[in-house]
Amino acid sequence: MDAEMPVYTLDDALNTLGFGKFQGFLLVFAGLGLVAEAMEIMILSFIGPATKSEWDLSPNQETLLTSVVFAGLLVGSYAWGVISDNYGRRKGFLGIAMVASVAGLLSAFSPNYLSLVTLRCLAGIGLGSGPVFLSWFLEFIPASNRGTWVVVISIFWTIGTIFEAALALIVMPVLNWRWLLALSSVPSFAVLLLLGLAPESARYLCSAGRMVDAHHILEKIAQWNHTDLPSGMLVSDKTATPEEEFAIPEHTPLLSSTTNVKPGCSSCFMLLSSRLIRTTLLLWVLFFGNSFLYYGIILLTSELSSEQTKCSSTLLLLQNAQDGSLYINVFITSLAELPGLLLSAVIVDRIGRKMSMAIMSILTFICLLPLVIHQPAAITPALLFGARMFINGTYTVASIYAPEVYPTSLRATGSGIACAVGRIGGMICPIVAVGLVSGCHQTAAIILLEIVTVVYVVSIQLFPFEPKGRELTDTVTSTTTLVSHRK
């Protein structure tokens, strides 16, 4: 009788349940996590100049305030991914929210420079949470419209950057940087308070063999969405027999096989194994190049959009926080990300992840190319606005692509490490670009960004997978099998 009982997989259930109120709540919760991260990173534009004036810091000390946050992000992006993959997404959320909220709030009460640097580094560790929130949300979305909804959740990052700039515009002239730090920690506390309502990932539970717990989550989704589960029993993804290994059907999930990644195994070893090394290294290039371009465009926006006709250091421009020009400039440039997100949402599920990233990267290249020579004051801001719009759209699609090509047992770890490598690009770019721009070498700075863009586009074309419309999976397989099948 048991052999005749109908069965269904998690993806079958998600496709039947659809997108409803349950996923709407998950969207808000995960989006709040992205808002918290974006606000804490954007605050770096305002805290450095303010503390330098109050404590008479040297330029190196001011730069260190930013560097320690990115160093913390490197640690956090890896650590929270490993914790989430091995012990569950909710345990990762608990650690993320506690570290980010407490360290963020205590930063406002820092009595001296050393304590502020230490607390901002701890806050940075708590902020390496984006890949975990995105992976968790993605695991509840049906494959047919997964790309569109992950683009939608990325809007929360842009909301966070805009809100932080608006908050600084209101708070800094009236109060001080301590109030800005305290108020910016509120979203992290909100994540902590709402954690009790956030469910564990059903896909993680399936990968851990906890099918009964996963079924309870699916029942809750059905209740919230006013739909019914498929009839039968929930089972994990079917695995291929040796005879079927070379005859994979069209609906085969991404990276599926009989090999599971156990908690005791080294995540990094698995990511760099022969089955995944090509995808992993290309993702590292992708995220490094994207962060390098993103922060480079922001840097050029501050420099080239200024009203000064002589060459001046961007760092000096950023230190001019006595009026509202800094906050207004950050606010306006942040708005460029909204049309980039809209474009991503429109094309990502229509033409695929790889093609979407390639098109928007090429458009970034085109927007930057005229800046090799000096342009009129009216044209330069428009070109930089367009470049930021397209590079943000590319990053959004990359954030979808990374979790999709890894199995559940490595999803948060793999995308978290890729994000951490991207943070290195964000750290290196200001060092290189500031040297070029402050030395009045605009042409060299633009050429450097263009070279990075070309490398970035080439890496996109070398990816072996197009995950559009394919199911997520809990296990790992050889990339050569899928590549052979696609041929």
Side-chain angles (χ1 to χ4, degrees):
M1 293 297 294
D2 291 340
E4 298 175 358
M5 179 182 295
V7 297
Y8 62 90
T9 65
L10 181 62
D11 285 290
D12 294 332
L14 291 177
N15 289 330
T16 301
L17 296 172
F19 191 100
K21 293 181 181 179
F22 187 88
Q23 285 87 352
F25 167 74
L26 304 185
L27 175 69
V28 173
F29 180 80
L32 189 60
L34 295 182
V35 168
E37 182 176 354
M39 289 181 65
E40 290 286 359
I41 292 179
M42 284 299 296
I43 206 173
L44 300 175
S45 301
F46 315 118
I47 298 303
T51 53
K52 178 181 181 181
S53 176
E54 180 174 331
W55 289 339
D56 193 25
L57 303 179
S58 67
N60 288 337
Q61 287 177 314
E62 182 185 0
T63 302
L64 184 60
L65 277 174
T66 299
S67 299
V68 295
V69 175
F70 277 97
L73 284 166
L74 286 173
V75 176
S77 295
Y78 172 74
W80 300 125
V82 172
I83 291 172
S84 299
D85 281 338
N86 289 340
Y87 304 104
R89 311 312 192 211
R90 293 186 78 254
K91 287 185 174 62
F93 292 156
L94 177 61
I96 288 165
M98 289 183 63
V99 173
S101 59
V102 173
L105 180 60
L106 291 179
S107 297
F109 301 96
S110 301
N112 51 49
Y113 172 75
L114 182 60
S115 62
L116 180 60
V117 168
T118 303
L119 289 168
R120 293 315 295 166
C121 182
L122 290 174
I125 293 175
L127 296 177
S129 56
V132 179
F133 282 108
L134 287 173
S135 297
W136 175 74
F137 178 69
L138 180 147
E139 289 171 345
F140 286 95
I141 307 300
S144 59
N145 57 359
R146 191 169 57 224
T148 300
W149 280 109
V150 177
V151 170
V152 171
I153 196 177
S154 300
I155 294 175
F156 284 89
W157 172 275
T158 300
I159 291 173
T161 63
I162 295 173
F163 186 76
E164 184 64 32
L167 186 64
L169 182 61
I170 296 171
V171 171
M172 291 293 282
V174 179
L175 300 171
N176 55 39
W177 60 271
R178 295 182 184 274
W179 278 94
L180 185 61
L181 278 172
L183 293 173
S184 297
S185 68
V186 170
S188 294
F189 277 104
V191 171
L192 189 60
L193 291 174
L194 293 173
L195 181 59
L197 300 176
E200 183 54 85
S201 166
R203 194 173 293 276
Y204 165 78
L205 294 172
C206 286
S207 70
R210 297 164 57 184
M211 305 304 294
V212 174
D213 292 334
H215 187 263
H216 289 330
I217 299 296
L218 294 177
E219 288 179 329
K220 184 181 294 186
I221 298 176
Q223 182 180 1
W224 278 50
N225 290 359
H226 301 292
T227 53
D228 297 316
L229 283 170
S231 60
M233 181 177 63
L234 175 66
V235 296
S236 60
D237 290 338
K238 296 180 180 180
T239 56
T241 63
E243 293 79 10
E244 294 170 332
E245 183 176 0
F246 299 100
I248 301 176
E250 187 64 29
H251 66 275
T252 296
L254 293 170
L255 298 175
S256 61
S257 173
T258 58
T259 305
N260 284 296
V261 182
K262 302 298 183 183
C265 295
S266 169
S267 298
C268 288
F269 176 79
M270 292 301 299
L271 292 173
L272 296 176
S273 66
S274 59
R275 298 180 173 184
L276 293 176
I277 187 168
R278 177 179 174 183
T279 298
T280 296
L281 294 180
L282 286 172
L283 276 176
W284 291 359
V285 173
L286 186 72
F287 275 78
F288 180 93
N290 194 285
S291 292
F292 192 95
L293 287 167
Y294 180 80
Y295 289 104
I297 290 168
I298 292 177
L299 177 71
L300 288 172
T301 300
S302 300
E303 174 65 26
L304 302 180
S305 297
S306 69
E307 296 180 357
Q308 300 182 12
T309 56
K310 63 178 182 179
C311 178
S312 59
S313 172
T314 299
L315 293 179
L316 294 177
L317 290 174
L318 292 177
Q319 292 167 8
N320 183 24
Q322 302 303 317
D323 54 33
S325 60
L326 170 62
Y327 316 122
I328 294 173
N329 184 54
V330 174
F331 179 82
I332 293 175
T333 54
S334 296
L335 293 176
E337 299 185 4
L338 290 175
L341 289 170
L342 178 60
L343 176 62
S344 302
V346 170
I347 67 176
V348 67
D349 276 330
R350 288 177 169 81
I351 65 175
R353 284 48 160 162
K354 291 177 60 176
M355 184 63 69
S356 297
M357 289 189 290
I359 289 175
M360 288 187 287
S361 298
I362 292 171
L363 290 173
T364 302
F365 183 94
I366 293 173
C367 288
L368 290 174
L369 188 58
L371 295 174
V372 172
I373 59 175
H374 290 275
Q375 299 294 329
I379 297 178
T380 297
L383 292 171
L384 291 171
F385 187 96
R388 180 164 179 180
M389 176 180 73
F390 295 124
I391 197 61
N392 182 67
T394 308
Y395 178 78
T396 301
V397 179
S399 298
I400 301 169
Y401 187 86
E404 285 184 322
V405 296
Y406 285 122
T408 301
S409 49
L410 285 172
R411 184 165 296 122
T413 302
S415 55
I417 293 178
C419 185
V421 174
R423 303 299 185 188
I424 298 175
M427 294 173 63
I428 294 176
C429 179
I431 297 174
V432 176
V434 165
L436 291 174
V437 177
S438 62
C440 298
H441 301 299
Q442 174 184 330
T443 298
I446 297 297
I447 291 175
L448 176 62
L449 293 181
E450 295 286 56
I451 292 173
V452 172
T453 306
V454 172
V455 174
Y456 185 84
V457 173
V458 171
S459 70
I460 292 171
Q461 300 307 311
L462 294 176
F463 275 110
F465 303 120
E466 173 50 63
K468 180 177 77 75
R470 290 177 175 263
E471 298 174 354
L472 297 179
T473 188
D474 303 330
T475 51
V476 185
T477 190
S478 169
T479 59
T480 57
T481 304
L482 285 179
V483 172
S484 175
H485 170 62
R486 287 179 60 80
K487 292 179 180 178

